[in-house]
Amino acid sequence: MSEIPARASESEGPSDGAPFGDAVWQSSPPGSIYDYVKVASFSIGPDGLVEQWSLRAEQLLGIPAEHAVGTDPIEAFIDPDLRERGQRKMAEILDGREWTGVVPFRTPDRTPDTGTGGGRRGRGQRGLAEVYVMPTRTEDGEKAAVCIVVDVRVLRSIETDLAASQAIFGQSPFGFLLIDPDLRVRRANQRFASVFGGTPDGHRGKGVHDYLPRAEADRVSATLRRVLETGDSITDMHVTGFAPGSDERRHWSVNLYRVHSGSGRPIGVAWLGTDITARREAAREAAAARRNLALLNEAGARIGNSLDLETTARELLDVVVPGFCDLATVDLYQGLLAGDETPPGLADGSAELRRVAFSSAVSDAPFQGAGERVRLGAVHHYPFTSPCADALRAARPRTVPAEDGGLVQSTLAVPMVAHDTVVGLVQFARTKGSEPFGDRDRDLAVELAARAAVCIDNARLYRREHERALILQRSLLPPGDPEASGLDIACRYLPGNAATGRPSEVGGDWFDVIELPGHRTALVVGDVMGRGLRAAVAMGELRTAVRTLAQLDLEPAEVLSQLDEIARGLGAPGGVQQATRAARRPREADLSEVYLATCVYAVYDSVTRRCTFANAGHLPPVLVEPGESALMLDVPPGLPLGVGGEPFEEVEVELPEGALLALYTDGLVESRDHPLDEGLQAFVGALRDPTRPLEDVCDQVLNTLDSHHGEDDIALLMARVQGLPSESVGDWTLPREPRSVGRAREYARVQLLAWDMEPLVDTTELLVSELVTNALRYGEGEIRLRLLLDRTLVCEVWDSGLVQPRRRRARDTDEGGRGLQLVGLLSAAWGSRRTPRGKTVWFELPLPGGDTRLTDPAEALLSLF
């Protein structure tokens, strides 16, 4: 055959579908059908013996040619019990008849032999062979035969492979292609044809560019070539395209593997594909659900950490940009930001709004809403017919149409609804190139806006309550710088976080300066534990109680004891009744039902310059004497108010002229970052120069301790001692006898004239006479008269009696009983108080001059009758 020229190389086969007349002789390429079938051949001569034995026969039957030629094939290969039938068939064959059939055979097994022969035969392996016998003639015209033998097992294997191939191509639910080395379809199954149209045979010769878009086809072609070259399989390659007659984008998962011939030669690539459009969509939906859930979790963690309206709006945008949208804005109603009450129900969308937050994932991209650009912080309103105004009116999300030529392609206007009240509007926008908002996105946007709305409404309510609490708290503090006899006073109050600018709940810190009779002053600093409006209210109640108890002129320890009982009733229903029950069984009081508070109560006497302290769990006062370093006074701290069960101790300290006294709350010296001891030392160190003006000293302390300011309120009360001069005090002791009344009037007259207070002489003489007379009549022991001149004139009459004077209404026929009524008419104030050795009855007169009009004694006497 070598002399016949071939038109194609041995590695090429005839083109598929070429006309039969164009076929030419050529060598069979590797991997032909004969490689699979394993055909063997031999010839039988007229004598019935083997004349020729092919190499393939040697391989199939296991007998070399030198042993097979000249043997009787029936005797050599057929089992003894079938030899008779075989001989008859051989006779028929040599008689010139064709025959095809299945013949059982056995291969001989040669074992070594001790003789000179080639060994002796044993029993070999059994098998089945399909034999095709064709009669022929020798050159001499004698009848002979040519036999073709195929192993039946190979035929059955081929049959099984064909059946499997047919099952794959004809019955597989997956699209199956066999692609040749030229990347052309050699075979397609019915499933593939049902998707892309036509019959399976109609797809032969097509390439991937006939099915897929160009870019996708180029990618797939490159992958097919790589599989052909390397033999590496490809699993779950995603391919995107369109089915004929449909504009719906489809997705397939494709497995590719190289197919080989029986000899191992690559003959193409098998393509096994399945439509995963639904699965991909489900996975996409699941991914979107996971993303949305993660977004909601993030929103729950990040939105509402601040109780500031603007900060909460920015927290919302920090969550959604760029995770959910490319641009976003938040508009809140201007009235809400101004502190006005939001009307119940749904807003009509016409009120003014302020843009409080804006965020963009696109650089230098202004957000355009309702047809106009709105700057951050600008106050505006949406046109009544706009989608944004409609969203505010209906409390439902609306889609905002995109502007031609604009950056934004999809916008959602979502009202912020909290407790059936619209507080503002959020706009979420996606730019061109991003996926437009869908129904799932709309639902998510509503949920995000609702969460932010609740936080903003909480911030609004907190701001309102915070401002109310601040108003209440400040209204309970002394207005301006209070004045006191013998003291120069300066004070400071800073609400929590005033240094950082962040809002916080108001606390229960308070201070007070209370003027007492006899030019004495009560200095109070307290702190209700806890925060919020209730703490501020409790502070107000305690402050009012302190002022009431101070007017009774009780000793400092007694004042705190009474406050302790009151504090135990503040946090529980029943008020005073609860406090009374707690006082009866102090150790059984439930601390969860009371407000605990700390307090320092001090009474300063400007005449003696002595100060008496009592402490209920508060920080110690700080004293700075002239020329000395600051020190903390050793005042027993006692238990906080509201605990009960333990008495309070008093400490009396003499304050030198010019000494500086400081009372304060823990917010000044304690914070999360600074321990209490460090803050106390810093406070003491800040009082190095107490001789400076008192206002400057306060500012210096606050500036020095600025790093210690935390979330707690700060109350600071500072007082510089300026005792009443001795020349402003008149003090006399009178014996217990009737003529002491006249002496008392004389002492008062002389002293007032010395002070140049002649307009007060008559009134003072009359009232002194009444008080000394009462002391003689109802009191005990020596009588002491004291006049004090400062901002007012104070007259005190002391005795050892314990019975307090009581004012009564005298009848017209009574000769007495009008003395205290006269004191009440002529004086600016009067009263009595207990002393360690009895009692003191006093009255106060304003100094002449200014707008003060003195009451005429004669007119007062006439009014009593």
Side-chain angles (χ1 to χ4, degrees):
M1 301 287 292
S2 59
E3 71 277 4
I4 301 175
R7 294 178 57 188
S9 65
E10 291 185 356
S11 62
E12 297 175 344
S15 355
D16 189 56
F20 182 78
D22 293 341
V24 295
W25 287 97
Q26 60 182 359
S27 299
S28 176
S32 69
I33 188 63
Y34 300 105
D35 292 331
Y36 291 99
V37 178
K38 306 292 186 184
V39 178
S41 64
F42 62 91
S43 62
I44 300 175
D47 55 0
L49 302 179
V50 176
E51 285 190 344
Q52 293 181 336
W53 192 258
S54 68
L55 294 176
R56 185 64 63 86
E58 290 185 4
Q59 298 172 1
L60 177 63
L61 300 176
I63 301 174
E66 60 268 22
H67 294 149
V69 174
T71 63
D72 183 350
I74 303 300
E75 294 290 335
F77 310 126
I78 304 302
D79 287 338
D81 53 349
L82 298 176
R83 287 176 184 170
E84 181 178 354
R85 184 178 178 184
Q87 292 294 347
R88 291 198 301 270
K89 288 294 181 183
M90 178 61 70
E92 294 176 359
I93 291 169
L94 293 178
D95 193 33
R97 297 176 58 183
E98 283 190 5
W99 182 79
T100 302
V102 178
V103 178
F105 71 92
R106 60 181 177 81
T107 59
D109 181 17
R110 293 187 174 275
T111 57
D113 190 53
T114 55
T116 59
R120 59 185 179 83
R121 293 183 178 178
R123 297 183 63 86
Q125 297 181 353
R126 295 179 179 274
L128 284 175
E130 185 171 302
V131 180
Y132 176 42
V133 181
M134 296 174 290
T136 185
R137 291 183 181 276
T138 65
E139 293 179 356
D140 298 332
E142 295 181 293
K143 295 182 179 180
V146 174
C147 298
I148 298 176
V149 181
V150 179
D151 193 335
V152 171
R153 292 172 300 177
V154 175
L155 293 177
R156 296 294 180 266
S157 175
I158 293 175
E159 183 181 45
T160 302
D161 290 346
L162 289 174
S165 175
Q166 183 61 34
I168 291 175
F169 274 83
Q171 303 174 26
S172 172
F174 306 108
F176 199 98
L177 297 178
L178 183 61
I179 300 175
D180 65 17
D182 294 329
L183 304 187
R184 295 290 176 179
V185 175
R186 301 294 296 177
R187 189 171 182 185
N189 70 346
Q190 183 59 44
R191 177 62 177 171
F192 184 87
S194 66
V195 174
F196 288 94
T199 63
D201 291 340
H203 291 278
R204 291 186 179 182
K206 292 185 177 181
V208 292
H209 286 81
D210 296 317
Y211 304 103
L212 300 175
R214 182 178 182 82
E216 187 77 338
D218 291 342
R219 181 179 71 88
V220 173
S221 296
T223 304
L224 289 171
R225 290 191 183 92
R226 187 167 65 251
V227 172
L228 275 172
E229 294 170 359
T230 65
D232 296 333
S233 299
I234 299 295
T235 303
D236 195 24
M237 178 179 73
H238 288 193
V239 178
T240 302
F242 299 90
S246 173
D247 57 356
E248 180 185 2
R249 186 180 296 272
R250 310 294 295 179
H251 302 274
W252 294 277
S253 173
V254 176
N255 296 330
L256 302 176
Y257 57 92
R258 192 168 67 181
V259 178
H260 303 84
S261 67
S263 62
R265 177 179 64 89
I267 61 173
V269 176
W271 168 302
L272 182 63
T274 182
D275 192 325
I276 60 169
T277 303
R279 187 181 77 187
R280 186 183 178 96
E281 185 64 25
R284 186 177 176 185
E285 289 290 326
R290 289 193 298 270
R291 181 200 66 185
N292 293 350
L293 181 60
L295 203 63
L296 289 175
N297 289 338
E298 185 182 5
R302 298 180 60 181
I303 300 175
N305 294 321
S306 169
L307 287 173
D308 178 72
L309 297 174
E310 292 83 353
T311 302
T312 302
R314 288 193 295 269
E315 288 171 346
L316 169 63
L317 301 195
D318 290 341
V319 171
V320 300
V321 178
F324 177 69
C325 60
D326 301 317
L327 301 99
T329 65
V330 176
D331 297 326
L332 298 180
Y333 278 117
Q334 175 66 8
L336 181 145
L337 294 170
D340 299 336
E341 291 289 340
T342 302
L346 304 180
D348 63 0
S350 61
E352 289 186 334
L353 300 105
R354 184 194 302 172
R355 181 144 297 175
V356 297
F358 166 74
S359 181
S360 171
V362 183
S363 59
D364 301 328
F367 185 82
Q368 190 163 342
E372 61 181 27
R373 286 182 173 85
V374 179
R375 293 179 292 102
L376 184 63
V379 177
H380 67 101
H381 66 86
Y382 291 107
F384 187 81
T385 58
S386 67
C388 293
D390 185 38
L392 291 170
R393 282 193 302 272
R396 295 288 186 273
R398 294 291 184 262
T399 300
V400 180
E403 294 190 355
D404 296 335
L407 177 67
V408 176
Q409 74 155 348
S410 182
T411 302
L412 283 176
V414 183
M416 305 177 73
V417 184
H419 312 299
D420 294 331
T421 298
V422 178
V423 298
L425 183 78
V426 189
Q427 292 190 69
F428 305 98
R430 289 178 178 174
T431 58
K432 292 182 178 179
S434 300
E435 184 176 355
F437 290 111
D439 292 339
R440 184 185 294 274
D441 295 323
R442 179 185 293 254
D443 295 339
L444 177 61
V446 170
E447 177 66 23
L448 290 170
R451 293 195 178 196
V454 171
C455 295
I456 286 176
D457 194 52
N458 290 340
R460 176 185 68 85
L461 295 175
Y462 168 78
R463 175 182 287 185
R464 184 187 65 187
E465 296 302 319
H466 185 263
E467 291 176 352
R468 290 178 178 177
L470 282 179
I471 293 173
L472 172 63
Q473 187 179 41
R474 289 167 180 166
S475 68
L476 296 173
L477 297 175
D481 292 330
E483 296 180 353
S485 177
L487 292 175
D488 180 17
I489 294 179
C491 52
R492 294 288 189 275
Y493 172 77
L494 295 178
N497 279 340
T500 62
R502 297 192 304 267
S504 67
E505 291 186 293
V506 295
D509 293 18
W510 91 92
F511 64 90
D512 210 345
V513 178
I514 308 170
E515 291 191 82
L516 302 177
H519 290 303
R520 294 173 304 127
T521 304
L523 304 176
V524 189
V525 169
D527 184 2
V528 176
M529 299 181 186
R531 306 190 64 79
L533 185 60
R534 295 183 63 199
V537 171
M539 177 271 285
E541 295 187 23
L542 289 178
R543 178 180 180 272
T544 302
V546 169
R547 295 189 71 87
T548 302
L549 295 171
Q551 296 304 321
L552 297 176
D553 220 342
L554 302 177
E555 296 297 324
E558 182 64 20
V559 170
L560 294 185
S561 296
Q562 296 297 326
L563 278 179
D564 179 56
E565 295 186 10
I566 294 172
R568 278 179 284 163
L570 291 182
V576 176
Q577 295 179 3
Q578 173 70 19
T580 304
R581 289 195 295 270
R584 290 175 182 170
R585 44 183 177 82
R587 296 189 183 275
E588 300 177 10
D590 186 358
L591 295 184
S592 65
E593 296 182 353
V594 300
Y595 268 104
L596 299 181
T598 63
C599 181
V600 169
Y601 186 86
V603 175
Y604 169 72
D605 190 333
S606 63
V607 178
T608 62
R609 294 200 311 274
R610 302 189 70 82
C611 189
T612 304
F613 297 91
N615 191 352
H618 203 80
L619 295 173
V622 174
L623 178 65
V624 186
E625 297 185 4
E628 302 291 339
S629 299
L631 57 90
M632 289 180 286
L633 294 178
D634 187 13
V635 179
L639 294 177
L641 302 176
V643 176
E646 295 293 335
F648 297 97
E649 300 182 42
E650 292 182 355
V651 172
E652 189 176 65
V653 178
E654 183 174 353
L655 305 180
E657 185 76 16
L660 183 65
L661 179 66
L663 305 178
Y664 53 96
T665 57
D666 57 0
L668 179 68
V669 295
E670 186 178 24
S671 71
R672 295 179 180 179
D673 301 326
H674 300 277
L676 179 60
D677 291 342
E678 179 183 332
L680 287 173
Q681 293 301 322
F683 177 43
V684 171
L687 297 173
R688 290 187 298 268
D689 188 9
T691 60
R692 299 173 58 188
L694 207 53
E695 295 291 337
D696 295 344
V697 175
C698 287
D699 293 338
Q700 177 186 354
V701 167
L702 294 179
N703 292 333
T704 303
L705 272 69
D706 179 69
S707 61
H708 295 265
H709 294 172
E711 297 181 355
D712 203 0
D713 295 354
I714 295 173
L716 174 63
L717 176 61
M718 305 191 76
R720 179 174 285 123
V721 174
Q722 297 174 347
L724 197 63
S726 58
E727 58 269 19
S728 297
V729 179
D731 197 345
W732 305 273
T733 302
L734 301 171
R736 193 171 187 80
E737 56 186 35
R739 61 181 179 177
S740 293
V741 177
R743 289 182 181 178
R745 294 207 310 262
E746 183 64 24
Y747 290 150
R749 175 190 298 271
V750 173
Q751 185 64 67
L752 289 175
L753 292 176
W755 286 339
D756 197 18
M757 292 292 163
E758 185 176 356
L760 299 180
V761 170
D762 293 342
T763 302
T764 303
E765 279 190 296
L766 178 60
L767 298 183
V768 165
S769 175
E770 290 292 337
L771 294 186
V772 173
T773 299
N774 282 344
L776 287 173
R777 182 176 298 177
Y778 304 109
E780 298 177 4
E782 289 185 324
I783 299 173
R784 181 182 177 189
L785 172 65
R786 190 167 75 167
L787 294 179
L788 308 175
L789 180 63
D790 192 23
R791 293 179 293 113
T792 61
L793 175 67
V794 176
C795 176
E796 298 176 334
V797 176
W798 305 46
D799 69 75
S800 301
L802 298 177
V803 179
Q804 297 290 326
R806 182 172 61 86
R807 184 177 179 178
R808 66 183 180 87
R809 182 177 297 276
R811 291 173 296 181
D812 294 343
T813 57
D814 290 343
E815 296 183 359
R818 296 178 176 85
L820 292 181
Q821 292 186 38
L822 187 63
V823 172
L825 287 173
L826 293 177
S827 65
W830 78 279
S832 67
R833 69 177 186 274
R834 290 181 294 177
T835 65
R837 291 182 296 275
K839 69 176 181 298
T840 298
V841 183
W842 57 272
F843 67 85
E844 182 178 337
L845 295 176
L847 300 182
D851 297 332
T852 304
R853 180 182 180 274
L854 300 177
T855 305
D856 182 37
E859 294 179 0
L861 286 171
L862 290 175
S863 67
L864 296 177
F865 296 94

